[in-house]
Amino acid sequence: MRGSLYLIPVPLGPGKCEAVLPPAVLEQVRQLRHFVVEHARTARAFLKAVGMPVPIQELSLSELNEHTRKEALEALLAPLLQGLDLGLLSEAGCPAVADPGAELVALAQARSIRVIPMIGPSSLLLALMASGLDGQRFAFHGYLPAKEEERRQAIKQLENESRKLRQTQLCIETPYRNKALFEALLQHGQPSTRLCLATDLTLPTESIRTMSLGDWRRQPPPDFERRPTVFLLLA
């Protein structure tokens, strides 16, 4: 009999796990002994915070991140094939969404292994909920190109698609590049396009604000450098 792969959400920032994760999720995490994680150090901190009943050093933690070779993925399924349950952790938020864990989930599905998504914070859905933009039609595009001309073209394309489909467009950026993406949106977007910046979601410093690009241009620049932010626009 094969084990089950549990997709375990992680808080989006510092704070008590009980504030964003249901008791049933915390209890399930405490029962697991094998995990695939993005980075072992931060995973240990999370597992300690949930109150694991065994010493953290007794847990099995295997890393899956941007440095993991595709040929190494199969070995990560070993506990499942031995009949043991396995937990998949992201660095923050929901695993397998804008996250390298998606490759492990795809492999588990291909092997007919049961995949169980668990309840927890998703920055993308939280941002969409609070943005006031269209929640019926939306698309997530991950990271936009870093090169200036490619980014300009991507912004124009997103805006055109949003206008044509009445679709909210979501993207993210490495926190220390937030300012560069914001300035590119102001420079290349139409004044009537609405932009929401959702920063530090679920944290005490949370900020969610939606205005037209024209209005954003007349405001002081937001204080969101090096703070995780979701960008949402609707033309």
Side-chain angles (χ1 to χ4, degrees):
M1 183 176 179
R2 295 180 174 184
S4 297
L5 177 61
Y6 287 86
L7 311 185
I8 303 165
V10 173
L12 299 175
K16 293 184 177 180
C17 296
E18 293 82 356
V20 292
L21 297 177
V25 172
L26 296 173
E27 183 56 34
Q28 180 60 61
V29 175
R30 295 180 188 122
Q31 294 177 22
L32 298 172
R33 299 295 178 265
H34 298 269
F35 297 89
V36 172
V37 306
E38 196 164 349
H39 297 288
R41 182 180 62 82
T42 49
R44 290 190 190 99
F46 166 73
L47 294 170
K48 181 179 180 180
V50 304
M52 293 296 293
V54 301
I56 300 299
Q57 59 267 29
E58 294 183 10
L59 302 175
S60 171
L61 303 182
S62 300
E63 289 193 342
L64 170 57
N65 50 46
E66 67 274 14
H67 304 298
T68 304
R69 303 186 311 276
K70 287 189 179 294
E71 55 268 27
L73 288 173
E74 194 77 41
L76 298 178
L77 295 180
L80 295 164
L81 301 179
Q82 296 167 13
L84 302 171
D85 291 335
L86 179 66
L88 175 63
L89 302 178
S90 175
E91 278 290 277
C94 296
V97 178
D99 174 73
E103 295 187 77
L104 187 67
V105 175
L107 189 58
Q109 290 284 4
R111 300 289 185 273
S112 298
I113 292 168
R114 186 184 180 197
V115 177
I116 303 176
M118 307 205 78
I119 297 170
S122 164
S123 61
L124 302 179
L125 286 180
L126 291 170
L128 184 63
M129 288 164 59
S131 68
L133 304 181
D134 197 314
Q136 295 283 357
R137 294 167 294 275
F138 55 91
F140 174 57
H141 300 274
Y143 295 88
L144 298 190
K147 294 183 178 179
E148 184 175 349
E149 178 57 24
E150 293 177 1
R151 174 171 284 184
R152 183 191 69 80
Q153 294 178 5
I155 290 171
K156 290 294 185 182
Q157 182 176 350
L158 292 184
E159 200 173 43
N160 289 338
E161 289 180 2
S162 177
R163 185 178 299 106
K164 179 180 179 181
L165 302 175
R166 293 301 302 165
Q167 181 184 75
T168 300
Q169 311 286 12
L170 294 84
C171 62
I172 55 177
E173 183 52 281
T174 303
Y176 67 84
R177 294 178 180 167
N178 283 341
K179 183 179 178 182
L181 177 54
F182 176 69
E183 290 176 347
L185 288 166
L186 294 189
Q187 180 179 356
H188 303 301
Q190 295 297 313
S192 60
T193 293
R194 285 185 287 165
L195 171 67
C196 175
L197 302 179
T199 299
D200 284 349
L201 290 162
T202 74
L203 305 183
T205 53
E206 177 181 270
S207 171
I208 306 169
R209 193 173 185 189
T210 301
M211 292 188 293
S212 70
L213 289 177
D215 286 339
W216 276 114
R217 288 168 183 158
R218 289 187 284 270
Q219 299 292 320
D223 177 20
F224 66 170
E225 198 67 2
R226 300 189 180 276
R227 297 165 63 194
T229 298
V230 181
F231 295 75
L232 308 91
L233 66 86
L234 181 64

